[in-house]
Amino acid sequence: MRIACAHVPSFPLAALLRVDPDLRGEPLAVTEGQGPRARLVACSTEAEERGISVGLSAAQAKAIHAGILLRP
């Protein structure tokens, strides 16, 4: 039996950008749900450059950078 493993850093972000490539280059974060308490599970480099990081809530991310694009 053969098993393969592939590691895709920030998989939710990569999947979102594949579906909507127009979001490339934007400060973007993927949340685990909807609403202000939803936690960020992946962030683009552009978002990280503005101080956004995985683990923040959507409300915290918006407080740091109002222009952040959040997608569930």
Side-chain angles (χ1 to χ4, degrees):
M1 178 165 73
R2 295 181 185 184
I3 297 175
C5 179
H7 174 68
V8 180
S10 299
F11 180 77
L13 182 63
L16 178 63
L17 291 174
R18 185 167 172 100
V19 171
D20 194 351
D22 292 338
L23 294 175
R24 289 191 190 281
E26 297 291 332
L28 173 67
V30 180
T31 63
E32 66 181 355
Q34 295 183 354
R37 292 185 181 181
R39 293 281 168 204
L40 276 56
V41 296
C43 299
S44 67
T45 302
E46 294 78 13
E48 290 174 344
E49 289 171 353
R50 290 166 174 81
I52 309 297
S53 62
V54 171
L56 293 176
S57 69
Q60 289 170 322
K62 283 283 192 183
I64 293 170
H65 180 63
I68 184 90
L69 300 174
L70 300 173
R71 298 293 187 268

mmCIF file of all heavy atoms in Angstrom, residues 13-69:
data_model
loop_
_atom_site.group_PDB
_atom_site.id
_atom_site.type_symbol
_atom_site.label_atom_id
_atom_site.label_comp_id
_atom_site.label_asym_id
_atom_site.label_seq_id
_atom_site.Cartn_x
_atom_site.Cartn_y
_atom_site.Cartn_z
ATOM 1 N N LEU A 13 -7.100 29.390 2.317
ATOM 2 C CA LEU A 13 -6.804 30.575 1.519
ATOM 3 C C LEU A 13 -6.494 30.182 0.080
ATOM 4 O O LEU A 13 -6.996 30.800 -0.867
ATOM 5 C CB LEU A 13 -5.639 31.353 2.136
ATOM 6 C CG LEU A 13 -5.251 32.644 1.436
ATOM 7 C CD1 LEU A 13 -6.390 33.649 1.480
ATOM 8 C CD2 LEU A 13 -4.006 33.227 2.065
ATOM 9 N N ALA A 14 -5.689 29.148 -0.102
ATOM 10 C CA ALA A 14 -5.355 28.681 -1.448
ATOM 11 C C ALA A 14 -6.601 28.238 -2.205
ATOM 12 O O ALA A 14 -6.762 28.544 -3.391
ATOM 13 C CB ALA A 14 -4.347 27.538 -1.365
ATOM 14 N N ALA A 15 -7.511 27.553 -1.524
ATOM 15 C CA ALA A 15 -8.753 27.104 -2.162
ATOM 16 C C ALA A 15 -9.614 28.301 -2.562
ATOM 17 O O ALA A 15 -10.183 28.334 -3.662
ATOM 18 C CB ALA A 15 -9.516 26.176 -1.228
ATOM 19 N N LEU A 16 -9.715 29.293 -1.697
ATOM 20 C CA LEU A 16 -10.513 30.482 -1.985
ATOM 21 C C LEU A 16 -9.940 31.240 -3.179
ATOM 22 O O LEU A 16 -10.677 31.671 -4.065
ATOM 23 C CB LEU A 16 -10.585 31.386 -0.756
ATOM 24 C CG LEU A 16 -11.340 32.700 -0.917
ATOM 25 C CD1 LEU A 16 -12.804 32.440 -1.239
ATOM 26 C CD2 LEU A 16 -11.215 33.531 0.333
ATOM 27 N N LEU A 17 -8.622 31.400 -3.217
ATOM 28 C CA LEU A 17 -7.993 32.131 -4.316
ATOM 29 C C LEU A 17 -8.108 31.380 -5.636
ATOM 30 O O LEU A 17 -8.137 31.991 -6.698
ATOM 31 C CB LEU A 17 -6.538 32.432 -3.984
ATOM 32 C CG LEU A 17 -6.334 33.454 -2.870
ATOM 33 C CD1 LEU A 17 -4.862 33.577 -2.524
ATOM 34 C CD2 LEU A 17 -6.919 34.800 -3.247
ATOM 35 N N ARG A 18 -8.181 30.071 -5.564
ATOM 36 C CA ARG A 18 -8.373 29.297 -6.793
ATOM 37 C C ARG A 18 -9.776 29.530 -7.364
ATOM 38 O O ARG A 18 -9.960 29.630 -8.565
ATOM 39 C CB ARG A 18 -8.141 27.819 -6.525
ATOM 40 C CG ARG A 18 -8.208 26.993 -7.774
ATOM 41 C CD ARG A 18 -7.666 25.599 -7.522
ATOM 42 N NE ARG A 18 -7.895 24.766 -8.669
ATOM 43 C CZ ARG A 18 -6.983 24.489 -9.583
ATOM 44 N NH1 ARG A 18 -5.770 24.981 -9.456
ATOM 45 N NH2 ARG A 18 -7.265 23.709 -10.602
ATOM 46 N N VAL A 19 -10.756 29.642 -6.494
ATOM 47 C CA VAL A 19 -12.137 29.883 -6.915
ATOM 48 C C VAL A 19 -12.320 31.338 -7.366
ATOM 49 O O VAL A 19 -13.046 31.612 -8.320
ATOM 50 C CB VAL A 19 -13.118 29.549 -5.771
ATOM 51 C CG1 VAL A 19 -14.528 29.986 -6.105
ATOM 52 C CG2 VAL A 19 -13.081 28.071 -5.462
ATOM 53 N N ASP A 20 -11.689 32.263 -6.670
ATOM 54 C CA ASP A 20 -11.855 33.688 -6.965
ATOM 55 C C ASP A 20 -10.482 34.358 -7.098
ATOM 56 O O ASP A 20 -10.016 35.034 -6.170
ATOM 57 C CB ASP A 20 -12.681 34.351 -5.862
ATOM 58 C CG ASP A 20 -13.170 35.729 -6.248
ATOM 59 O OD1 ASP A 20 -12.750 36.257 -7.298
ATOM 60 O OD2 ASP A 20 -13.987 36.286 -5.495
ATOM 61 N N PRO A 21 -9.807 34.195 -8.229
ATOM 62 C CA PRO A 21 -8.448 34.734 -8.386
ATOM 63 C C PRO A 21 -8.378 36.260 -8.353
ATOM 64 O O PRO A 21 -7.300 36.825 -8.166
ATOM 65 C CB PRO A 21 -7.994 34.191 -9.740
ATOM 66 C CG PRO A 21 -9.215 33.752 -10.442
ATOM 67 C CD PRO A 21 -10.240 33.451 -9.399
ATOM 68 N N ASP A 22 -9.499 36.948 -8.504
ATOM 69 C CA ASP A 22 -9.499 38.409 -8.433
ATOM 70 C C ASP A 22 -9.115 38.916 -7.047
ATOM 71 O O ASP A 22 -8.770 40.097 -6.883
ATOM 72 C CB ASP A 22 -10.870 38.976 -8.808
ATOM 73 C CG ASP A 22 -11.202 38.761 -10.280
ATOM 74 O OD1 ASP A 22 -10.256 38.573 -11.074
ATOM 75 O OD2 ASP A 22 -12.395 38.774 -10.621
ATOM 76 N N LEU A 23 -9.165 38.052 -6.043
ATOM 77 C CA LEU A 23 -8.816 38.450 -4.677
ATOM 78 C C LEU A 23 -7.309 38.449 -4.427
ATOM 79 O O LEU A 23 -6.863 38.922 -3.385
ATOM 80 C CB LEU A 23 -9.507 37.528 -3.667
ATOM 81 C CG LEU A 23 -11.026 37.610 -3.628
ATOM 82 C CD1 LEU A 23 -11.589 36.559 -2.671
ATOM 83 C CD2 LEU A 23 -11.487 38.996 -3.226
ATOM 84 N N ARG A 24 -6.533 37.928 -5.363
ATOM 85 C CA ARG A 24 -5.072 37.911 -5.199
ATOM 86 C C ARG A 24 -4.552 39.328 -5.030
ATOM 87 O O ARG A 24 -4.987 40.251 -5.705
ATOM 88 C CB ARG A 24 -4.391 37.266 -6.398
ATOM 89 C CG ARG A 24 -4.605 35.803 -6.467
ATOM 90 C CD ARG A 24 -3.704 35.157 -7.510
ATOM 91 N NE ARG A 24 -4.083 33.776 -7.729
ATOM 92 C CZ ARG A 24 -3.758 32.768 -6.937
ATOM 93 N NH1 ARG A 24 -3.041 32.999 -5.857
ATOM 94 N NH2 ARG A 24 -4.140 31.540 -7.215
ATOM 95 N N GLY A 25 -3.624 39.491 -4.096
ATOM 96 C CA GLY A 25 -3.033 40.794 -3.844
ATOM 97 C C GLY A 25 -3.814 41.664 -2.877
ATOM 98 O O GLY A 25 -3.369 42.741 -2.524
ATOM 99 N N GLU A 26 -4.958 41.184 -2.447
ATOM 100 C CA GLU A 26 -5.797 41.932 -1.497
ATOM 101 C C GLU A 26 -5.509 41.469 -0.067
ATOM 102 O O GLU A 26 -5.152 40.307 0.149
ATOM 103 C CB GLU A 26 -7.285 41.699 -1.787
ATOM 104 C CG GLU A 26 -7.738 42.178 -3.134
ATOM 105 C CD GLU A 26 -7.735 43.685 -3.253
ATOM 106 O OE1 GLU A 26 -7.892 44.377 -2.229
ATOM 107 O OE2 GLU A 26 -7.563 44.171 -4.380
ATOM 108 N N PRO A 27 -5.690 42.363 0.927
ATOM 109 C CA PRO A 27 -5.604 41.905 2.318
ATOM 110 C C PRO A 27 -6.843 41.049 2.601
ATOM 111 O O PRO A 27 -7.961 41.553 2.636
ATOM 112 C CB PRO A 27 -5.603 43.197 3.131
ATOM 113 C CG PRO A 27 -6.178 44.231 2.223
ATOM 114 C CD PRO A 27 -5.916 43.789 0.829
ATOM 115 N N LEU A 28 -6.646 39.759 2.744
ATOM 116 C CA LEU A 28 -7.727 38.783 2.785
ATOM 117 C C LEU A 28 -7.508 37.793 3.916
ATOM 118 O O LEU A 28 -6.383 37.377 4.172
ATOM 119 C CB LEU A 28 -7.762 38.045 1.448
ATOM 120 C CG LEU A 28 -8.693 36.870 1.268
ATOM 121 C CD1 LEU A 28 -10.149 37.339 1.304
ATOM 122 C CD2 LEU A 28 -8.401 36.173 -0.046
ATOM 123 N N ALA A 29 -8.596 37.422 4.573
ATOM 124 C CA ALA A 29 -8.523 36.392 5.615
ATOM 125 C C ALA A 29 -9.732 35.476 5.493
ATOM 126 O O ALA A 29 -10.811 35.902 5.101
ATOM 127 C CB ALA A 29 -8.485 37.026 6.999
ATOM 128 N N VAL A 30 -9.510 34.211 5.816
ATOM 129 C CA VAL A 30 -10.578 33.211 5.808
ATOM 130 C C VAL A 30 -10.964 32.946 7.255
ATOM 131 O O VAL A 30 -10.098 32.738 8.113
ATOM 132 C CB VAL A 30 -10.115 31.903 5.135
ATOM 133 C CG1 VAL A 30 -11.228 30.870 5.135
ATOM 134 C CG2 VAL A 30 -9.639 32.169 3.712
ATOM 135 N N THR A 31 -12.275 32.977 7.536
ATOM 136 C CA THR A 31 -12.768 32.749 8.895
ATOM 137 C C THR A 31 -13.404 31.373 9.010
ATOM 138 O O THR A 31 -13.807 30.777 8.016
ATOM 139 C CB THR A 31 -13.807 33.814 9.292
ATOM 140 O OG1 THR A 31 -14.939 33.702 8.423
ATOM 141 C CG2 THR A 31 -13.222 35.206 9.205
ATOM 142 N N GLU A 32 -13.508 30.876 10.241
ATOM 143 C CA GLU A 32 -14.113 29.566 10.474
ATOM 144 C C GLU A 32 -15.632 29.611 10.489
ATOM 145 O O GLU A 32 -16.281 28.580 10.618
ATOM 146 C CB GLU A 32 -13.593 28.962 11.777
ATOM 147 C CG GLU A 32 -14.016 29.728 13.014
ATOM 148 C CD GLU A 32 -13.480 29.131 14.296
ATOM 149 O OE1 GLU A 32 -12.847 28.069 14.247
ATOM 150 O OE2 GLU A 32 -13.682 29.745 15.340
ATOM 151 N N GLY A 33 -16.196 30.779 10.371
ATOM 152 C CA GLY A 33 -17.646 30.947 10.366
ATOM 153 C C GLY A 33 -17.972 32.372 9.979
ATOM 154 O O GLY A 33 -17.158 33.050 9.358
ATOM 155 N N GLN A 34 -19.147 32.820 10.355
ATOM 156 C CA GLN A 34 -19.552 34.185 10.043
ATOM 157 C C GLN A 34 -19.771 34.973 11.322
ATOM 158 O O GLN A 34 -19.958 34.400 12.388
ATOM 159 C CB GLN A 34 -20.833 34.165 9.217
ATOM 160 C CG GLN A 34 -20.644 33.528 7.864
ATOM 161 C CD GLN A 34 -21.896 33.571 7.025
ATOM 162 O OE1 GLN A 34 -22.964 33.981 7.482
ATOM 163 N NE2 GLN A 34 -21.789 33.156 5.777
ATOM 164 N N GLY A 35 -19.738 36.273 11.191
ATOM 165 C CA GLY A 35 -19.980 37.134 12.333
ATOM 166 C C GLY A 35 -18.695 37.647 12.949
ATOM 167 O O GLY A 35 -17.607 37.194 12.627
ATOM 168 N N PRO A 36 -18.817 38.595 13.869
ATOM 169 C CA PRO A 36 -17.649 39.251 14.455
ATOM 170 C C PRO A 36 -16.797 38.352 15.348
ATOM 171 O O PRO A 36 -15.626 38.624 15.561
ATOM 172 C CB PRO A 36 -18.237 40.412 15.251
ATOM 173 C CG PRO A 36 -19.661 40.045 15.493
ATOM 174 C CD PRO A 36 -20.073 39.178 14.345
ATOM 175 N N ARG A 37 -17.377 37.271 15.857
ATOM 176 C CA ARG A 37 -16.609 36.375 16.736
ATOM 177 C C ARG A 37 -15.907 35.257 15.991
ATOM 178 O O ARG A 37 -15.144 34.490 16.582
ATOM 179 C CB ARG A 37 -17.522 35.775 17.788
ATOM 180 C CG ARG A 37 -18.023 36.794 18.769
ATOM 181 C CD ARG A 37 -18.813 36.143 19.855
ATOM 182 N NE ARG A 37 -19.305 37.145 20.790
ATOM 183 C CZ ARG A 37 -20.009 36.871 21.839
ATOM 184 N NH1 ARG A 37 -20.342 35.624 22.110
ATOM 185 N NH2 ARG A 37 -20.423 37.829 22.639
ATOM 186 N N ALA A 38 -16.145 35.132 14.693
ATOM 187 C CA ALA A 38 -15.520 34.068 13.899
ATOM 188 C C ALA A 38 -13.999 34.237 13.915
ATOM 189 O O ALA A 38 -13.486 35.342 13.766
ATOM 190 C CB ALA A 38 -16.035 34.109 12.473
ATOM 191 N N ARG A 39 -13.289 33.160 14.113
ATOM 192 C CA ARG A 39 -11.825 33.189 14.172
ATOM 193 C C ARG A 39 -11.217 33.064 12.781
ATOM 194 O O ARG A 39 -11.740 32.378 11.916
ATOM 195 C CB ARG A 39 -11.298 32.032 15.039
ATOM 196 C CG ARG A 39 -11.664 32.183 16.482
ATOM 197 C CD ARG A 39 -10.758 33.168 17.162
ATOM 198 N NE ARG A 39 -11.303 33.508 18.468
ATOM 199 C CZ ARG A 39 -11.028 34.629 19.092
ATOM 200 N NH1 ARG A 39 -10.228 35.505 18.565
ATOM 201 N NH2 ARG A 39 -11.548 34.877 20.260
ATOM 202 N N LEU A 40 -10.085 33.737 12.582
ATOM 203 C CA LEU A 40 -9.366 33.655 11.332
ATOM 204 C C LEU A 40 -8.559 32.365 11.294
ATOM 205 O O LEU A 40 -7.867 32.034 12.266
ATOM 206 C CB LEU A 40 -8.422 34.850 11.183
ATOM 207 C CG LEU A 40 -9.018 36.139 10.623
ATOM 208 C CD1 LEU A 40 -10.206 36.620 11.415
ATOM 209 C CD2 LEU A 40 -7.962 37.204 10.526
ATOM 210 N N VAL A 41 -8.662 31.632 10.187
ATOM 211 C CA VAL A 41 -7.934 30.372 10.044
ATOM 212 C C VAL A 41 -6.828 30.471 9.009
ATOM 213 O O VAL A 41 -5.950 29.602 8.956
ATOM 214 C CB VAL A 41 -8.877 29.192 9.710
ATOM 215 C CG1 VAL A 41 -9.835 28.938 10.859
ATOM 216 C CG2 VAL A 41 -9.646 29.439 8.423
ATOM 217 N N ALA A 42 -6.851 31.512 8.176
ATOM 218 C CA ALA A 42 -5.798 31.721 7.179
ATOM 219 C C ALA A 42 -5.798 33.194 6.780
ATOM 220 O O ALA A 42 -6.846 33.833 6.747
ATOM 221 C CB ALA A 42 -6.029 30.849 5.962
ATOM 222 N N CYS A 43 -4.600 33.713 6.473
ATOM 223 C CA CYS A 43 -4.454 35.113 6.089
ATOM 224 C C CYS A 43 -3.509 35.227 4.908
ATOM 225 O O CYS A 43 -2.510 34.503 4.827
ATOM 226 C CB CYS A 43 -3.845 35.935 7.219
ATOM 227 S SG CYS A 43 -4.801 35.985 8.718
ATOM 228 N N SER A 44 -3.794 36.177 4.034
ATOM 229 C CA SER A 44 -2.884 36.447 2.925
ATOM 230 C C SER A 44 -1.664 37.210 3.448
ATOM 231 O O SER A 44 -1.694 37.789 4.540
ATOM 232 C CB SER A 44 -3.584 37.267 1.843
ATOM 233 O OG SER A 44 -3.878 38.571 2.317
ATOM 234 N N THR A 45 -0.620 37.212 2.650
ATOM 235 C CA THR A 45 0.586 37.954 3.006
ATOM 236 C C THR A 45 0.267 39.438 3.177
ATOM 237 O O THR A 45 0.781 40.094 4.084
ATOM 238 C CB THR A 45 1.660 37.776 1.920
ATOM 239 O OG1 THR A 45 1.931 36.381 1.778
ATOM 240 C CG2 THR A 45 2.937 38.506 2.257
ATOM 241 N N GLU A 46 -0.605 39.952 2.310
ATOM 242 C CA GLU A 46 -0.987 41.362 2.377
ATOM 243 C C GLU A 46 -1.701 41.683 3.696
ATOM 244 O O GLU A 46 -1.509 42.759 4.261
ATOM 245 C CB GLU A 46 -1.890 41.723 1.192
ATOM 246 C CG GLU A 46 -1.200 41.655 -0.153
ATOM 247 C CD GLU A 46 -1.033 40.233 -0.699
ATOM 248 O OE1 GLU A 46 -1.659 39.294 -0.165
ATOM 249 O OE2 GLU A 46 -0.262 40.077 -1.661
ATOM 250 N N ALA A 47 -2.494 40.758 4.199
ATOM 251 C CA ALA A 47 -3.156 40.951 5.485
ATOM 252 C C ALA A 47 -2.131 40.900 6.618
ATOM 253 O O ALA A 47 -2.180 41.720 7.543
ATOM 254 C CB ALA A 47 -4.236 39.896 5.696
ATOM 255 N N GLU A 48 -1.214 39.946 6.545
ATOM 256 C CA GLU A 48 -0.190 39.819 7.584
ATOM 257 C C GLU A 48 0.688 41.064 7.645
ATOM 258 O O GLU A 48 1.103 41.482 8.724
ATOM 259 C CB GLU A 48 0.651 38.570 7.346
ATOM 260 C CG GLU A 48 -0.123 37.295 7.611
ATOM 261 C CD GLU A 48 0.632 36.041 7.260
ATOM 262 O OE1 GLU A 48 1.657 36.112 6.523
ATOM 263 O OE2 GLU A 48 0.204 34.957 7.713
ATOM 264 N N GLU A 49 0.963 41.671 6.492
ATOM 265 C CA GLU A 49 1.764 42.906 6.464
ATOM 266 C C GLU A 49 1.067 44.054 7.175
ATOM 267 O O GLU A 49 1.707 45.005 7.594
ATOM 268 C CB GLU A 49 2.066 43.297 5.017
ATOM 269 C CG GLU A 49 3.056 42.371 4.341
ATOM 270 C CD GLU A 49 3.199 42.629 2.842
ATOM 271 O OE1 GLU A 49 2.422 43.445 2.289
ATOM 272 O OE2 GLU A 49 4.074 41.999 2.249
ATOM 273 N N ARG A 50 -0.236 43.961 7.325
ATOM 274 C CA ARG A 50 -1.016 44.999 8.010
ATOM 275 C C ARG A 50 -1.299 44.645 9.470
ATOM 276 O O ARG A 50 -2.079 45.307 10.135
ATOM 277 C CB ARG A 50 -2.315 45.252 7.250
ATOM 278 C CG ARG A 50 -2.086 45.951 5.926
ATOM 279 C CD ARG A 50 -3.303 45.888 5.040
ATOM 280 N NE ARG A 50 -3.146 46.672 3.830
ATOM 281 C CZ ARG A 50 -2.503 46.275 2.729
ATOM 282 N NH1 ARG A 50 -1.925 45.087 2.703
ATOM 283 N NH2 ARG A 50 -2.428 47.045 1.669
ATOM 284 N N GLY A 51 -0.700 43.556 9.955
ATOM 285 C CA GLY A 51 -0.837 43.189 11.359
ATOM 286 C C GLY A 51 -1.906 42.160 11.656
ATOM 287 O O GLY A 51 -2.186 41.876 12.822
ATOM 288 N N ILE A 52 -2.527 41.589 10.640
ATOM 289 C CA ILE A 52 -3.562 40.565 10.819
ATOM 290 C C ILE A 52 -2.885 39.212 10.953
ATOM 291 O O ILE A 52 -1.933 38.915 10.234
ATOM 292 C CB ILE A 52 -4.527 40.544 9.610
ATOM 293 C CG1 ILE A 52 -5.052 41.945 9.289
ATOM 294 C CG2 ILE A 52 -5.643 39.547 9.831
ATOM 295 C CD1 ILE A 52 -5.874 42.588 10.355
ATOM 296 N N SER A 53 -3.385 38.366 11.854
ATOM 297 C CA SER A 53 -2.797 37.032 12.013
ATOM 298 C C SER A 53 -3.883 36.000 12.321
ATOM 299 O O SER A 53 -4.973 36.337 12.793
ATOM 300 C CB SER A 53 -1.746 37.035 13.124
ATOM 301 O OG SER A 53 -2.331 37.376 14.357
ATOM 302 N N VAL A 54 -3.549 34.761 12.048
ATOM 303 C CA VAL A 54 -4.445 33.641 12.334
ATOM 304 C C VAL A 54 -4.735 33.620 13.831
ATOM 305 O O VAL A 54 -3.850 33.857 14.649
ATOM 306 C CB VAL A 54 -3.798 32.313 11.882
ATOM 307 C CG1 VAL A 54 -4.605 31.122 12.356
ATOM 308 C CG2 VAL A 54 -3.648 32.293 10.370
ATOM 309 N N GLY A 55 -5.997 33.343 14.179
ATOM 310 C CA GLY A 55 -6.392 33.274 15.582
ATOM 311 C C GLY A 55 -7.153 34.494 16.058
ATOM 312 O O GLY A 55 -7.872 34.425 17.052
ATOM 313 N N LEU A 56 -6.997 35.617 15.363
ATOM 314 C CA LEU A 56 -7.771 36.804 15.726
ATOM 315 C C LEU A 56 -9.237 36.574 15.398
ATOM 316 O O LEU A 56 -9.572 35.756 14.549
ATOM 317 C CB LEU A 56 -7.290 38.023 14.936
ATOM 318 C CG LEU A 56 -5.902 38.562 15.213
ATOM 319 C CD1 LEU A 56 -5.587 39.712 14.254
ATOM 320 C CD2 LEU A 56 -5.773 39.021 16.644
ATOM 321 N N SER A 57 -10.106 37.323 16.029
ATOM 322 C CA SER A 57 -11.516 37.280 15.654
ATOM 323 C C SER A 57 -11.709 38.233 14.472
ATOM 324 O O SER A 57 -10.865 39.100 14.205
ATOM 325 C CB SER A 57 -12.409 37.717 16.818
ATOM 326 O OG SER A 57 -12.245 39.102 17.064
ATOM 327 N N ALA A 58 -12.822 38.080 13.776
ATOM 328 C CA ALA A 58 -13.127 38.963 12.652
ATOM 329 C C ALA A 58 -13.189 40.417 13.125
ATOM 330 O O ALA A 58 -12.697 41.317 12.440
ATOM 331 C CB ALA A 58 -14.442 38.543 12.007
ATOM 332 N N ALA A 59 -13.769 40.659 14.287
ATOM 333 C CA ALA A 59 -13.862 42.013 14.832
ATOM 334 C C ALA A 59 -12.479 42.599 15.113
ATOM 335 O O ALA A 59 -12.222 43.771 14.818
ATOM 336 C CB ALA A 59 -14.710 42.019 16.098
ATOM 337 N N GLN A 60 -11.586 41.797 15.668
ATOM 338 C CA GLN A 60 -10.230 42.271 15.937
ATOM 339 C C GLN A 60 -9.509 42.603 14.636
ATOM 340 O O GLN A 60 -8.809 43.615 14.555
ATOM 341 C CB GLN A 60 -9.442 41.214 16.713
ATOM 342 C CG GLN A 60 -9.901 41.042 18.142
ATOM 343 C CD GLN A 60 -9.265 39.833 18.805
ATOM 344 O OE1 GLN A 60 -9.078 38.782 18.185
ATOM 345 N NE2 GLN A 60 -8.946 39.984 20.082
ATOM 346 N N ALA A 61 -9.685 41.757 13.625
ATOM 347 C CA ALA A 61 -9.047 41.996 12.331
ATOM 348 C C ALA A 61 -9.551 43.299 11.719
ATOM 349 O O ALA A 61 -8.768 44.103 11.204
ATOM 350 C CB ALA A 61 -9.302 40.822 11.389
ATOM 351 N N LYS A 62 -10.857 43.535 11.796
ATOM 352 C CA LYS A 62 -11.438 44.776 11.264
ATOM 353 C C LYS A 62 -10.938 45.996 12.039
ATOM 354 O O LYS A 62 -10.756 47.066 11.469
ATOM 355 C CB LYS A 62 -12.962 44.729 11.323
ATOM 356 C CG LYS A 62 -13.595 43.883 10.252
ATOM 357 C CD LYS A 62 -13.588 44.620 8.938
ATOM 358 C CE LYS A 62 -14.477 43.905 7.940
ATOM 359 N NZ LYS A 62 -14.425 44.559 6.630
ATOM 360 N N ALA A 63 -10.724 45.831 13.338
ATOM 361 C CA ALA A 63 -10.208 46.946 14.147
ATOM 362 C C ALA A 63 -8.770 47.292 13.760
ATOM 363 O O ALA A 63 -8.378 48.463 13.796
ATOM 364 C CB ALA A 63 -10.294 46.605 15.639
ATOM 365 N N ILE A 64 -8.000 46.304 13.387
ATOM 366 C CA ILE A 64 -6.612 46.532 12.980
ATOM 367 C C ILE A 64 -6.553 47.148 11.591
ATOM 368 O O ILE A 64 -5.797 48.069 11.344
ATOM 369 C CB ILE A 64 -5.819 45.209 13.032
ATOM 370 C CG1 ILE A 64 -5.689 44.751 14.492
ATOM 371 C CG2 ILE A 64 -4.445 45.380 12.390
ATOM 372 C CD1 ILE A 64 -5.135 43.362 14.660
ATOM 373 N N HIS A 65 -7.353 46.614 10.667
ATOM 374 C CA HIS A 65 -7.374 47.124 9.287
ATOM 375 C C HIS A 65 -8.798 47.038 8.755
ATOM 376 O O HIS A 65 -9.289 45.947 8.441
ATOM 377 C CB HIS A 65 -6.413 46.325 8.410
ATOM 378 C CG HIS A 65 -6.375 46.784 6.989
ATOM 379 N ND1 HIS A 65 -5.946 48.035 6.634
ATOM 380 C CD2 HIS A 65 -6.725 46.171 5.847
ATOM 381 C CE1 HIS A 65 -6.037 48.171 5.321
ATOM 382 N NE2 HIS A 65 -6.508 47.043 4.824
ATOM 383 N N ALA A 66 -9.447 48.164 8.674
ATOM 384 C CA ALA A 66 -10.858 48.205 8.258
ATOM 385 C C ALA A 66 -11.080 47.668 6.841
ATOM 386 O O ALA A 66 -12.165 47.203 6.517
ATOM 387 C CB ALA A 66 -11.398 49.623 8.361
ATOM 388 N N GLY A 67 -10.042 47.687 6.001
ATOM 389 C CA GLY A 67 -10.189 47.240 4.628
ATOM 390 C C GLY A 67 -9.967 45.761 4.407
ATOM 391 O O GLY A 67 -9.977 45.300 3.267
ATOM 392 N N ILE A 68 -9.779 44.993 5.476
ATOM 393 C CA ILE A 68 -9.554 43.549 5.339
ATOM 394 C C ILE A 68 -10.791 42.891 4.731
ATOM 395 O O ILE A 68 -11.909 43.223 5.080
ATOM 396 C CB ILE A 68 -9.206 42.901 6.700
ATOM 397 C CG1 ILE A 68 -8.875 41.420 6.545
ATOM 398 C CG2 ILE A 68 -10.322 43.042 7.695
ATOM 399 C CD1 ILE A 68 -7.458 41.145 6.308
ATOM 400 N N LEU A 69 -10.583 41.995 3.799
ATOM 401 C CA LEU A 69 -11.670 41.218 3.210
ATOM 402 C C LEU A 69 -11.779 39.914 3.973
ATOM 403 O O LEU A 69 -10.790 39.175 4.079
ATOM 404 C CB LEU A 69 -11.396 40.941 1.728
ATOM 405 C CG LEU A 69 -11.245 42.171 0.839
ATOM 406 C CD1 LEU A 69 -10.837 41.747 -0.559
ATOM 407 C CD2 LEU A 69 -12.524 42.964 0.821
#
